[in-house]
Amino acid sequence: MTTNATTEVAVLGGGCFWCTEAVYLEVKGVAKVESGYTGGQQPNPTYEQVCSGTTGHAEVVRLEFDPSVISYREILEIFFTIHDPTTLNRQGNDVGTQYRSVIYYQSPEQEATARQVIAEMAHVWDAPIVTELSPAQPYYKAEDYHQNYFAQHPLQGYCAFVVEPKVAKFRKTQTRFLK
């Protein structure tokens, strides 16, 4: 899916969307990051409904990026360094299908690239990768209070102890991608 002549869309689920959003907000070439839900059956779900694990939706981020600055492959390479793609329906203490590792591809080209990156990452991780690869599904933007959550609540417990270390690791290990 192309949003205009210079941007493309990527939709990724890597556990809690606050962590994933916080990292991609710092990536050069990423013009917009939005937290939301996709992959389930219920239209217009709320955060509470998604957290219940009954909607089938995953917490995801929807990225708009400039492929002349950062490629979809690089977006995925970052994705596989900021979450654990080997834990089924879990990231740390967040457990449930809503926290699954998943890539929602927008085109056959994105699907092919994702398959290649997953195959390459299989050699990096010690356990099998369980990241789902699915075609794009209806996407629902999360409530406004979830947008840019880490920047608004850096001292909140989850942000301080879970999000901040992931962002710090990204800043330290992926400097070539920083804005």
Side-chain angles (χ1 to χ4, degrees):
M1 174 179 180
T2 302
T3 57
N4 65 42
T6 60
T7 61
E8 290 183 23
V9 169
V11 177
L12 308 169
C16 175
F17 48 32
W18 298 340
C19 294
T20 312
E21 177 196 58
V23 168
Y24 282 108
L25 283 169
E26 299 196 1
V27 175
K28 67 181 171 185
V30 174
K32 183 177 180 183
V33 183
E34 185 176 271
S35 291
Y37 318 110
T38 192
Q41 307 80 26
Q42 184 170 336
N44 301 306
T46 65
Y47 180 67
E48 291 74 21
Q49 291 168 330
V50 172
C51 285
S52 75
T54 61
T55 66
H57 288 291
E59 288 191 17
V60 297
V61 292
R62 181 184 183 277
L63 312 173
E64 291 181 21
F65 66 97
D66 181 345
S68 70
V69 177
I70 188 165
S71 69
Y72 183 67
R73 168 179 281 281
E74 291 170 320
I75 293 283
L76 294 181
E77 289 171 356
I78 292 168
F79 176 68
F80 281 105
T81 65
I82 61 172
H83 84 292
D84 183 348
T86 69
T87 54
L88 186 63
N89 300 328
R90 159 181 225 130
Q91 286 299 303
N93 291 329
D94 295 327
V95 179
T97 58
Q98 67 271 29
Y99 303 114
R100 65 189 175 270
S101 176
V102 60
I103 299 167
Y104 289 97
Y105 57 86
Q106 310 297 307
S107 67
E109 295 79 18
Q110 282 192 357
E111 178 185 16
T113 299
R115 288 188 187 284
Q116 289 174 336
V117 172
I118 289 169
E120 292 165 9
M121 290 294 153
H123 302 291
V124 174
W125 290 88
D126 292 335
I129 291 179
V130 297
T131 303
E132 292 179 23
L133 185 56
S134 298
Q137 313 247 336
Y139 166 83
Y140 304 96
K141 180 181 175 184
E143 297 82 349
D144 286 344
Y145 71 91
H146 289 296
Q147 309 305 321
N148 204 18
Y149 193 86
F150 175 61
Q152 294 180 49
H153 307 282
L155 301 178
Q156 187 255 13
Y158 189 91
C159 289
F161 294 106
V162 179
V163 183
E164 174 58 33
K166 286 187 180 205
V167 172
K169 178 184 174 189
F170 170 74
R171 288 177 182 153
K172 183 177 179 181
T173 62
Q174 305 288 329
T175 55
R176 68 187 174 130
F177 294 122
L178 288 174
K179 287 183 179 174

